[in-house]
Amino acid sequence: TARTGTEIDKNIVRKKVHLRGFSSSNLKDYTKMFFKDEGCRTLVLNQLKANPNLSSLCSVPLFCWIIFKCFEHFHSAFDSHELPDFTVTLTDIFLLMTEVHLNRIQKTNLLKKNNRSQEETYRSNKDKLFALSKIAYMGMQKSLFVFDQKDVLSGLPEQDLHLGFLRTVPNYGGSVDQSSYEFLHLTLQSFFTAFFLVTDKKVGAKDLLQFFAECSMQDTTLSSCLPLAWLKNYNPTGGDPFRNKEHFHFT
């Protein structure tokens, strides 16, 4: 198995190997194996080079496969003439990944293709998405990345634990009676946190801007941090709050 956290009886395991992940040269070799078309391969490598978040995720073989499958899907949806202008972001990856996970729980005929749009998939599962995003947001507020079972199940039905967004952390903190959970990856928790900030109507400017250290917590008006040229009487003070690229954690 290549899944982390999987316990296997030592009596049936002859050798255990810890994979260090893909190096830069490994990633290029795997890209060459995955994308046979040279033009498509060059485009993918250029986008990975331009996006450090995607590139770092690709050092993990499993995530690399997921990201490449997403690239493959996005590229198939566009004409070849449009490919050079199409940029894949981490948000695109997780939106598609979320759609795939949610569609897996649909009770449909295996021979019948799912024709639901992405929007329909999200709308029909909005309660699940909101519960997951609330857990992620709560964790980010408290710098918490491993959650107690009671905190997770207080807002998320137990059957939704099997969606694939959360995984168990065995014996965390010495607790054997209750399971602990974490998101599949920290960037996935960031994605759901951003999802919460965008979809929850109660979230104000102060709640949003607390995630950006360059913004003053004393002045929480959007105009103080966002350089929006169309705001009337806009007079920028200080430097660009997004110059340190913090916001890339949410894109």
Side-chain angles (χ1 to χ4, degrees), residues 96-221:
L96 180 58
M97 179 178 166
T98 301
E99 182 185 7
V100 170
H101 278 286
L102 292 175
N103 280 330
R104 286 195 311 163
I105 62 175
Q106 293 301 120
K107 296 180 180 179
T108 56
N109 190 320
L110 293 176
L111 299 178
K112 185 178 180 181
K113 185 178 180 180
N114 181 15
N115 293 319
R116 290 198 312 175
S117 68
Q118 190 179 68
E119 182 179 352
E120 289 174 327
T121 300
Y122 293 150
R123 286 187 181 277
S124 61
N125 293 280
K126 61 181 180 180
D127 292 337
K128 295 181 177 66
L129 292 173
F130 186 77
L132 285 163
S133 65
K134 193 171 183 179
I135 293 170
Y137 173 71
M138 177 197 71
M140 285 294 187
Q141 277 189 314
K142 301 178 180 179
S143 297
L144 189 66
F145 308 109
V146 178
F147 305 89
D148 293 333
Q149 187 176 33
K150 62 178 182 179
D151 293 330
V152 172
L153 295 181
S154 63
L156 189 70
E158 189 170 359
Q159 63 267 24
D160 291 341
L161 292 175
H162 304 293
L163 285 172
F165 301 110
L166 295 168
R167 62 183 178 186
T168 57
V169 182
N171 301 326
Y172 181 77
S175 176
V176 294
D177 297 329
Q178 287 190 338
S179 298
S180 298
Y181 297 90
E182 65 180 354
F183 281 89
L184 194 60
H185 196 270
L186 180 57
T187 51
L188 183 60
Q189 184 176 347
S190 297
F191 165 77
F192 274 113
T193 300
F195 187 92
F196 179 86
L197 293 171
V198 171
T199 57
D200 190 342
K201 296 180 180 179
K202 297 179 182 179
V203 172
K206 183 176 180 179
D207 301 306
L208 175 63
L209 297 177
Q210 68 173 316
F211 290 97
F212 302 100
E214 292 291 330
C215 295
S216 170
M217 293 304 296
Q218 296 179 353
D219 185 1
T220 57
T221 58

